[in-house]
Amino acid sequence: AQSVSQHNHHVILSEAASLELGCNYSYGGTVNLFWYVQYPGQHLQLLLKYFSGDPLVKGIKGFEAEFIKSKFSFNLRKPSVQWSDTAEYFCAVKTTSGTYKYIFGTGTRLKVLA
Amino acid sequence: NAGVMQNPRHLVRRRGQEARLRCSPMKGHSHVYWYRQLPEEGLKFMVYLQKENIIDESGMPKERFSAEFPKEGPSILRIQQVVRGDSAAYFCASSLGTTDTQYFGPGTRLTVL
């Protein structure tokens, strides 16, 4: 069965530190990849998505992610985090073989210290 | 431009009671999905509905859970005779079409006492 792994469950950083959150998936076919963010008390918000083309994807709020097919990875990065980036981050995968089911990782809680 | 709306945001029920969770999709979206997030786990697909039709309920528990998306009004996820194990966050998402990006609501946190 397909699965998504987010290895970092809790991350604490100081402001201006660089961020990288790992996401690996298990599926041998073509995939669509997503990162969602949930700020405290708010809905899941789409940060960025990869469907095809340039494997380096830029999203909102200065986030980017790189799809490395050979490693089955889609890591999220931000060069300099802010206190307002404190949130929970979810990686999700959708196989493109006609399915609409998103498979989510367990999430990473990021806390940025001011 | 309102996003996906869910209510209530928090729901407390005693064992054996019924829970009704509501989801209003984004304007123009006719595809609705329900996901459940158990503590320390990722969101897991439950059911996919279009107006008046259940397309895929493969992720729904076989008993006590049902979902509908009527022609008028919000989608409803109904849990009968709730048990403590039903305590979770329930997220609704909507999309324009089957293959389009899903947009999520804020979730309903159900607590069963």
Side-chain angles (χ1 to χ4, degrees):
Chain A
Q2 295 99 27
S3 65
V4 176
S5 297
Q6 290 182 245
H7 307 293
N8 313 102
H9 296 292
H10 297 273
V11 173
I12 301 175
L13 294 172
S14 298
E15 275 195 314
S18 64
L19 170 72
E20 180 158 2
L21 300 182
C23 173
N24 289 89
Y25 64 93
S26 63
Y27 181 70
T30 306
V31 292
N32 297 152
L33 299 155
F34 306 82
W35 275 99
Y36 286 86
V37 61
Q38 187 174 29
Y39 299 102
Q42 296 187 28
H43 63 279
L44 270 93
Q45 182 179 356
L46 182 65
L47 266 182
L48 48 77
K49 61 185 178 183
Y50 172 80
F51 278 16
S52 64
D54 189 344
L56 185 61
V57 180
K58 294 200 183 296
I60 61 171
K61 308 188 181 194
F63 286 90
E64 64 178 31
E66 185 174 12
F67 171 48
I68 303 180
K69 189 174 180 180
S70 60
K71 295 186 178 180
F72 299 91
S73 71
F74 190 55
N75 292 355
L76 181 70
R77 299 193 293 244
K78 185 170 184 178
S80 176
V81 294
Q82 301 172 321
W83 177 80
S84 58
D85 293 323
T86 295
E88 189 160 18
Y89 294 80
F90 293 93
C91 180
V93 169
K94 182 170 82 74
T95 62
T96 58
S97 57
T99 183
Y100 33 74
K101 298 176 190 175
Y102 283 33
I103 301 164
F104 281 84
T106 53
T108 297
R109 289 182 193 272
L110 170 66
K111 183 167 185 171
V112 179
L113 304 174
Chain B
N1 190 14
V4 178
M5 308 292 287
Q6 288 187 251
N7 67 80
R9 296 289 305 275
H10 300 273
L11 183 61
V12 179
R13 285 287 179 266
R14 297 191 181 280
R15 280 180 298 169
Q17 292 184 320
E18 179 180 286
R20 280 183 179 241
L21 288 62
R22 294 174 187 76
C23 168
S24 297
M26 282 181 71
K27 189 175 180 181
H29 288 192
S30 59
H31 300 251
V32 166
Y33 315 81
W34 285 92
Y35 291 79
R36 176 167 67 173
Q37 184 184 25
L38 293 169
E40 305 303 319
E41 294 187 17
L43 283 74
K44 290 195 167 48
F45 170 84
M46 298 180 75
V47 61
Y48 164 36
L49 310 104
Q50 294 179 23
K51 285 284 186 182
E52 300 184 281
N53 286 304
I54 297 174
I55 307 302
D56 181 352
E57 56 183 349
S58 59
M60 291 272 273
K62 295 284 184 264
E63 296 175 349
R64 302 185 296 108
F65 284 71
S66 62
E68 63 177 13
F69 188 17
K71 188 176 180 181
E72 301 290 337
S75 174
I76 306 284
L77 179 67
R78 183 180 175 211
I79 311 172
Q80 295 177 289
Q81 299 174 336
V82 295
V83 301
R84 289 221 175 97
D86 297 333
S87 295
Y90 292 82
F91 289 90
C92 170
S94 73
S95 68
L96 264 176
T98 302
T99 58
D100 293 311
T101 301
Q102 295 177 18
Y103 294 88
F104 285 79
T108 293
R109 276 168 172 73
L110 172 65
T111 301
V112 180
L113 301 178

